[in-house]
Amino acid sequence: MIQVDLEEERKEILKRYRKLLRLAKPLLKAGDAKIIKKAFNVSNDAHKEMRRKSGEPYIYHPLEVALVCVEEIGLGSTSIVAALLHDVVEDTEWELEDIEREFGHKVMQIIDGLTKISGVFDYGSSQQAENFRKMLLTLSDDVRVILIKIADRLNNMRTLSSMPRHKQLKIASETMYLYAPLAHRLGLYTIKSELEDLYLKYTDTDTYNFIVEKINETRLSRNKFIKTFIAPIEEELKAQGFNFSIKGRPKSVYSIYNKMKKQNIPFEEVYDLFAVRIIMDSEYDNEKADCWQVYSVVTDFYRPNPDRLRDWISTPRSNGYESLHTTVMSNTGQWVEVQIRTQRMDDIAERGYAAHWKYKDKEALANKASPGLDDWITQVRTLLESNDGSAIEFMDDFRGNLFHDEVFVFTPKGDLKVMPFGSTALDFAFEIHTEVGAKCIGAKVNQKLVSINHKLKNGDQVEILTSNKQKPTEDWLNVVVTSRAKAKIKDALREEKKSSILDGKEIVQRKLKQMKLDFNSETVEQLRAYFETKTANEFYYKVGKGIIESTSIKSFKDFKEDKRQKSKSSLDIVKDETSFTKQIKSLKGPDHDQLLIGEDMDVVDYILAKCCNPIPGDDVFGFVTVNEGIKIHRTSCPNALELLSNHGNRVIKAKWTSQQEIAFLAGLRIVGTDRVGLINDVTKVISNELKVNMRSITVDSDAGIFEGTIKLYVHSTQHLEKLMGNLGKVDGVIKITRFDY
């Protein structure tokens, strides 16, 4: 039992509270300090018996969340009060009515948005997705709900080490799935980067530690390089009378990891490991001219890459971000990204939405501050109002509009429209007006006739062609990427769909009655999964439309019967735990790598997921499926993020116990320089040295470059790594990577 010094804890709580007041002081109006003190006392009292998993007093958490709101986002007193009280309703006796009575309607509304939904959820629905939807419903009324939630999540991620492994995976995946993209969309770049780094730290610790180590190893040489690089720029800017500061900072761990993964390159080949940022004190009216003047100075000394110029000053990004980016070649032959911006732009880049509003209040900026954030919140409101599908469907639509790059396109009259990257002519039509979108038959892009699915590029001028005979179809949903277009198409399809759903439901009820099966949510969920539809309504719709024939529902009954028979025969064999273990051994050989599953770490039957093919030694989790029992996925599986975020209640712990050998299929990709006998040497290493069985080998050679994929059977990740190490020694082999197939 750990001894707790209550007096020391009390002093630490007061120290953190005073720090909060000190940092908040510039933002407070008369009477604010008093209400913050009241909120702190209520929270401290309500949570006094509670401790976090780390053993610390619970009050540390609301205090830290309030600190993030002030220090890293720049929010005011209402947000501080809401942050201090954000867990009171969920975790203690306090009700929303008590909050409203003591702190007013606005604070109550924010806390309501932050409080999770409790109660029973339908079979197959997702509690996490429902909670996300509830929180986002408040976004259009008060963006502070999301900002406080991001601060809350940042503190949770910073203290994640005290949580059990499966909780770490679930929380980190939720963060990457929703909160990091939200922080990005609201312009909170520093927080977004930290959330991504922490996600990597807990989901792929080895890679995270490797990159951090490499960054630290190169720190001295990097600092020396930056000093030499910026010296002539500093001298010239001083001579021209600029008041400025220059920072050199490494890219975030996650962005380096992403680059290594996307381009399939080692750390040493990531050329833009850091960026140089030049920040000027500049009068608002001179900002643009000053930035281009600094660009001119930089490019006097270093040659720019013309393909890497990004001008977000003339056209700010839709989350308010303004900056001028260029990549230049240093005197040592190294590419360096240079970011040029003013103090105001840097504030908005670091603190996002809150800083955007702080500057927007200034008269000089009334017409300039990026309307993009306001437009985006209007789009979210449209999406929320029109979405009556499942919460998971809503989350898919919502996320689709978070992480997009942008394209700038023009109307025939020259009006600028900022669209997400990948937008089509049909997206543009709906951006103009719902009626124009619904009747769109094609477009003229730069005077050339194109179809509705034509993807738009920067600088395109678009004229929409319409016809009164045209009407939206289901296929249109695959053509558009914007939430506005999707919402409007769904609206148009909804009425027609409703009658088909009702028809389908009647057919299903009738069929189930004939087959003497109960019509309930569990049967419907099994039918939905059996016919591979995303929602029950989609299943009814397909039956109503005749896409799924009513006669084929009988095959579901046969499948169910067959499954019941198999299940019964398994139960007859497996009478107790001892015979169950015998059964597993007879199926899988005597001393194999066992997988222990669940809280009690039992040996339970499972299926290895085909999407990521886990092998012993991989970091894995179990997922309880509707029809196929427990499926085991790698934590790096392409589907892991969605499963852990939206269905965390169906995720269970799983880990390998290292025992003896059984073979698992794995894939390797080999790249090298071609020579006579290379394939022979590679296959020798595989078959002779390590006695590994190959299932297939595919080789392609082009202009002296050899590329091959090999599928082979290995016993564990250690076995695979040993094999990869030996293959790497073969003369001519340059790179070996594992791939999912």
Side-chain angles (χ1 to χ4, degrees), residues 179-367:
Y179 295 104
L182 261 175
H184 169 87
R185 196 62 190 74
L186 293 167
L188 300 162
Y189 286 109
T190 313
I191 289 177
K192 174 210 121 175
S193 294
E194 188 175 347
L195 289 174
E196 288 175 338
D197 285 1
L198 288 165
Y199 162 78
L200 188 63
K201 182 180 179 179
Y202 289 104
T203 55
D204 192 347
T205 312
D206 292 346
T207 304
Y208 174 84
N209 290 337
F210 168 77
I211 295 171
V212 167
E213 213 174 283
K214 284 285 190 185
I215 290 171
N216 290 338
E217 275 174 22
T218 57
R219 181 175 284 124
L220 282 173
S221 61
R222 190 171 62 245
N223 289 348
K224 190 180 170 188
F225 173 82
I226 289 169
K227 212 171 173 183
T228 312
F229 178 84
I230 65 177
I233 299 170
E234 273 186 314
E235 198 179 320
E236 182 58 30
L237 290 179
K238 278 177 188 165
Q240 293 194 19
F242 280 106
N243 192 9
F244 65 94
S245 63
I246 300 184
K247 301 176 192 169
R249 49 169 21 160
K251 289 269 174 86
S252 73
V253 177
Y254 183 79
S255 63
I256 293 170
Y257 160 77
N258 221 6
K259 198 151 273 194
M260 287 164 64
K261 195 174 161 192
K262 269 187 182 167
Q263 297 176 11
N264 201 9
I265 53 173
F267 178 89
E268 289 69 23
E269 287 176 34
V270 179
Y271 71 78
D272 50 353
L273 278 170
F274 57 87
V276 169
R277 184 175 298 164
I278 304 170
I279 302 161
M280 298 160 296
D281 283 339
S282 194
E283 289 297 317
Y284 175 70
D285 290 339
N286 301 330
E287 281 188 337
K288 192 173 175 181
D290 286 352
C291 286
W292 282 108
Q293 182 63 31
V294 172
Y295 172 80
S296 171
V297 168
V298 172
T299 53
D300 280 347
F301 292 103
Y302 305 108
R303 188 174 292 279
N305 180 339
D307 297 330
R308 302 275 296 167
L309 177 64
R310 301 284 180 269
D311 175 11
W312 286 306
I313 295 173
S314 308
T315 318
R317 290 169 99 159
S318 55
N319 57 12
Y321 181 86
E322 293 173 77
S323 193
L324 190 58
H325 291 197
T326 182
T327 301
V328 297
M329 178 62 78
S330 71
N331 298 333
T332 55
Q334 191 173 346
W335 287 110
V336 181
E337 185 183 304
V338 181
Q339 302 170 355
I340 302 162
R341 58 176 74 152
T342 63
Q343 191 57 59
R344 176 188 71 82
M345 295 171 188
D346 194 54
D347 253 12
I348 288 172
E350 294 293 318
R351 287 179 154 191
Y353 199 90
H356 161 80
W357 281 100
K358 180 177 88 179
Y359 285 103
K360 192 174 181 179
D361 290 342
K362 293 186 179 175
E363 198 179 334
L365 295 175
N367 300 317

Side-chain angles (χ1 to χ4, degrees), residues 719-737:
H719 188 194
L720 185 63
E721 279 161 16
K722 188 179 175 190
L723 173 61
M724 287 167 76
N726 285 0
L727 286 170
K729 293 173 191 168
V730 173
D731 186 28
V733 171
I734 296 168
K735 190 187 293 179
I736 303 169
T737 48

Side-chain angles (χ1 to χ4, degrees), residues 51 57 101 103 172 270 325 403 414 429 515 557 579 611 619 686:
R51 291 193 171 268
R101 188 180 61 251
F103 298 97
V270 179
H325 291 197
F403 245 152
M515 296 189 298
K557 189 185 180 187
S579 63
C611 47
D619 208 352
I686 294 169

Side-chain angles (χ1 to χ4, degrees), residues 33-140:
K34 197 174 170 186
I35 195 126
I36 290 170
K37 185 180 181 181
K38 184 181 175 184
F40 165 68
N41 287 332
V42 165
S43 185
N44 196 17
D45 187 56
H47 294 302
K48 66 176 179 241
E49 301 300 326
M50 295 168 67
R51 291 193 171 268
R52 302 195 80 189
K53 282 272 192 287
S54 59
E56 293 178 338
Y58 195 88
I59 188 65
Y60 283 8
H61 172 63
L63 275 169
E64 290 300 320
V65 173
L67 265 169
V68 172
C69 288
V70 173
E71 198 175 6
E72 300 178 52
I73 305 177
L75 296 173
S77 60
T78 307
S79 301
I80 295 168
V81 170
L84 287 168
L85 298 168
H86 77 274
D87 278 337
V88 164
V89 173
E90 207 169 290
D91 297 343
T92 76
E93 300 298 311
W94 276 68
E95 302 285 341
L96 284 169
E97 294 75 30
D98 304 324
I99 299 284
E100 185 166 25
R101 188 180 61 251
E102 296 293 328
F103 298 97
H105 183 70
K106 185 47 77 179
V107 171
M108 182 278 287
Q109 239 183 345
I110 293 173
I111 288 170
D112 183 31
L114 291 163
T115 304
K116 293 192 188 86
I117 304 165
S118 57
V120 180
F121 283 77
D122 285 348
Y123 192 72
S125 72
S126 161
Q127 185 165 349
Q128 282 98 320
E130 293 289 356
N131 281 319
F132 290 152
R133 174 149 72 175
K134 183 197 173 193
M135 180 183 73
L136 294 165
L137 277 165
T138 57
L139 172 69
S140 53

